Amino acid sequence: PATEDFINKHYGLDEPAGQGSEPAEQEVQQQQADDITVGAIVEALTRPAVEDTSVAYKRPHVDLDIKFEFDSADLTDKGKRDLDIAAEALEHAQLRNSRFMLAGHTDSTGDPSHNATLSLERAESTRDYLVEQGNIDAARLEVIGFGSSKPRVEGDTVEARRANRRVVIELIQ
């Protein structure tokens, strides 16, 4: 396993904000669409709270494109790999004493009641994996399901639906 100094140096976490290799907001979102990294998660969760009331989340957060089986809370192999990376990030020195909300979201297709239940089950599945496989203390993780009520992207295109099926990790304290 990498040392804390290695992680800080590799991801530029010991450099002042806006300098070094810290990814910009757009880069973090692109990494989430492709492959997540420990550094991207740590950077997103240690960013100052957002004052803009037009955004869904005001506290530091990261949208994870965690993959599940269709219409299920069963994680895919890629979802498990991404959560392994997220678990490593949650144990980073800057985050290891923090608590988080895991917020499940679905796309707008299907029954809203079913989507609300499914989003909560996905958040719970994410928590369970982080606790059981990532050795994260369950007391640090809360779960909530929003169904399709807080889309990341408006619209009903394939791309919009894909972007809206996600789990968000939000810093509580």
Short mmCIF file of all heavy atoms in Angstrom, two decimals, residues 106-120 145-149:
data_model
loop_
_atom_site.label_atom_id
_atom_site.label_comp_id
_atom_site.label_asym_id
_atom_site.label_seq_id
_atom_site.Cartn_x
_atom_site.Cartn_y
_atom_site.Cartn_z
N THR A 106 -31.43 7.41 -9.17
CA THR A 106 -31.79 6.62 -10.34
C THR A 106 -32.10 7.57 -11.49
O THR A 106 -32.21 8.78 -11.30
CB THR A 106 -33.03 5.74 -10.09
OG1 THR A 106 -34.16 6.59 -9.86
CG2 THR A 106 -32.83 4.81 -8.90
N ASP A 107 -32.30 7.01 -12.66
CA ASP A 107 -32.77 7.83 -13.77
C ASP A 107 -34.29 7.95 -13.65
O ASP A 107 -34.89 7.43 -12.70
CB ASP A 107 -32.32 7.28 -15.13
CG ASP A 107 -32.87 5.90 -15.43
OD1 ASP A 107 -34.01 5.58 -15.01
OD2 ASP A 107 -32.18 5.13 -16.11
N SER A 108 -34.91 8.62 -14.58
CA SER A 108 -36.35 8.91 -14.48
C SER A 108 -37.24 7.83 -15.08
O SER A 108 -38.46 7.97 -15.05
CB SER A 108 -36.65 10.26 -15.14
OG SER A 108 -36.27 10.22 -16.51
N THR A 109 -36.67 6.77 -15.63
CA THR A 109 -37.51 5.73 -16.20
C THR A 109 -38.06 4.84 -15.08
O THR A 109 -37.41 4.63 -14.07
CB THR A 109 -36.74 4.86 -17.22
OG1 THR A 109 -35.61 4.28 -16.56
CG2 THR A 109 -36.28 5.68 -18.40
N GLY A 110 -39.27 4.38 -15.28
CA GLY A 110 -39.87 3.48 -14.30
C GLY A 110 -40.72 4.22 -13.28
O GLY A 110 -40.85 5.44 -13.29
N ASP A 111 -41.30 3.45 -12.39
CA ASP A 111 -42.19 3.95 -11.35
C ASP A 111 -41.40 4.74 -10.30
O ASP A 111 -40.41 4.25 -9.76
CB ASP A 111 -42.90 2.75 -10.69
CG ASP A 111 -43.81 3.17 -9.57
OD1 ASP A 111 -44.79 3.88 -9.84
OD2 ASP A 111 -43.51 2.79 -8.41
N PRO A 112 -41.84 5.96 -9.96
CA PRO A 112 -41.12 6.78 -8.96
C PRO A 112 -40.98 6.09 -7.60
O PRO A 112 -39.93 6.21 -6.96
CB PRO A 112 -41.97 8.05 -8.86
CG PRO A 112 -42.67 8.14 -10.18
CD PRO A 112 -42.94 6.72 -10.59
N SER A 113 -41.98 5.36 -7.19
CA SER A 113 -41.90 4.65 -5.91
C SER A 113 -40.82 3.57 -5.95
O SER A 113 -40.02 3.41 -5.01
CB SER A 113 -43.26 4.05 -5.57
OG SER A 113 -43.17 3.27 -4.41
N HIS A 114 -40.79 2.83 -7.04
CA HIS A 114 -39.76 1.79 -7.22
C HIS A 114 -38.37 2.43 -7.27
O HIS A 114 -37.41 1.92 -6.66
CB HIS A 114 -40.02 0.99 -8.50
CG HIS A 114 -38.94 0.01 -8.82
ND1 HIS A 114 -38.72 -1.13 -8.09
CD2 HIS A 114 -37.99 0.03 -9.79
CE1 HIS A 114 -37.70 -1.79 -8.59
NE2 HIS A 114 -37.23 -1.11 -9.63
N ASN A 115 -38.24 3.56 -7.98
CA ASN A 115 -36.95 4.24 -8.08
C ASN A 115 -36.48 4.74 -6.72
O ASN A 115 -35.28 4.67 -6.41
CB ASN A 115 -37.03 5.41 -9.07
CG ASN A 115 -36.99 4.93 -10.51
OD1 ASN A 115 -36.62 3.80 -10.80
ND2 ASN A 115 -37.39 5.81 -11.41
N ALA A 116 -37.39 5.23 -5.89
CA ALA A 116 -37.02 5.68 -4.54
C ALA A 116 -36.46 4.52 -3.73
O ALA A 116 -35.43 4.64 -3.06
CB ALA A 116 -38.21 6.32 -3.84
N THR A 117 -37.14 3.38 -3.79
CA THR A 117 -36.68 2.19 -3.07
C THR A 117 -35.35 1.70 -3.63
O THR A 117 -34.42 1.39 -2.87
CB THR A 117 -37.73 1.07 -3.16
OG1 THR A 117 -38.95 1.54 -2.58
CG2 THR A 117 -37.28 -0.19 -2.44
N LEU A 118 -35.24 1.63 -4.96
CA LEU A 118 -34.01 1.15 -5.59
C LEU A 118 -32.83 2.06 -5.26
O LEU A 118 -31.72 1.57 -4.98
CB LEU A 118 -34.21 1.06 -7.11
CG LEU A 118 -33.01 0.57 -7.92
CD1 LEU A 118 -32.58 -0.82 -7.47
CD2 LEU A 118 -33.35 0.58 -9.40
N SER A 119 -33.03 3.37 -5.26
CA SER A 119 -31.92 4.28 -4.97
C SER A 119 -31.43 4.09 -3.53
O SER A 119 -30.22 4.12 -3.28
CB SER A 119 -32.32 5.74 -5.22
OG SER A 119 -33.33 6.16 -4.32
N LEU A 120 -32.34 3.87 -2.60
CA LEU A 120 -31.94 3.60 -1.21
C LEU A 120 -31.20 2.27 -1.12
O LEU A 120 -30.16 2.17 -0.45
CB LEU A 120 -33.15 3.61 -0.29
CG LEU A 120 -32.85 3.31 1.18
CD1 LEU A 120 -31.88 4.34 1.76
CD2 LEU A 120 -34.13 3.25 1.99
N GLY A 145 -31.87 7.64 -0.17
CA GLY A 145 -32.20 7.42 -1.57
C GLY A 145 -33.09 8.53 -2.08
O GLY A 145 -34.08 8.88 -1.44
N PHE A 146 -32.73 9.11 -3.20
CA PHE A 146 -33.49 10.20 -3.79
C PHE A 146 -34.29 9.79 -5.02
O PHE A 146 -34.96 10.62 -5.61
CB PHE A 146 -32.56 11.36 -4.17
CG PHE A 146 -32.05 12.13 -2.99
CD1 PHE A 146 -30.73 11.99 -2.58
CD2 PHE A 146 -32.87 12.98 -2.28
CE1 PHE A 146 -30.25 12.69 -1.49
CE2 PHE A 146 -32.41 13.69 -1.19
CZ PHE A 146 -31.09 13.55 -0.80
N GLY A 147 -34.20 8.53 -5.42
CA GLY A 147 -34.89 8.14 -6.65
C GLY A 147 -34.40 8.98 -7.81
O GLY A 147 -33.20 9.17 -7.98
N SER A 148 -35.34 9.52 -8.57
CA SER A 148 -34.97 10.37 -9.71
C SER A 148 -35.22 11.85 -9.42
O SER A 148 -35.21 12.67 -10.33
CB SER A 148 -35.77 9.94 -10.95
OG SER A 148 -37.16 10.09 -10.70
N SER A 149 -35.40 12.20 -8.14
CA SER A 149 -35.81 13.57 -7.78
C SER A 149 -34.70 14.61 -7.88
O SER A 149 -34.98 15.80 -7.89
CB SER A 149 -36.39 13.59 -6.37
OG SER A 149 -35.39 13.31 -5.41
#
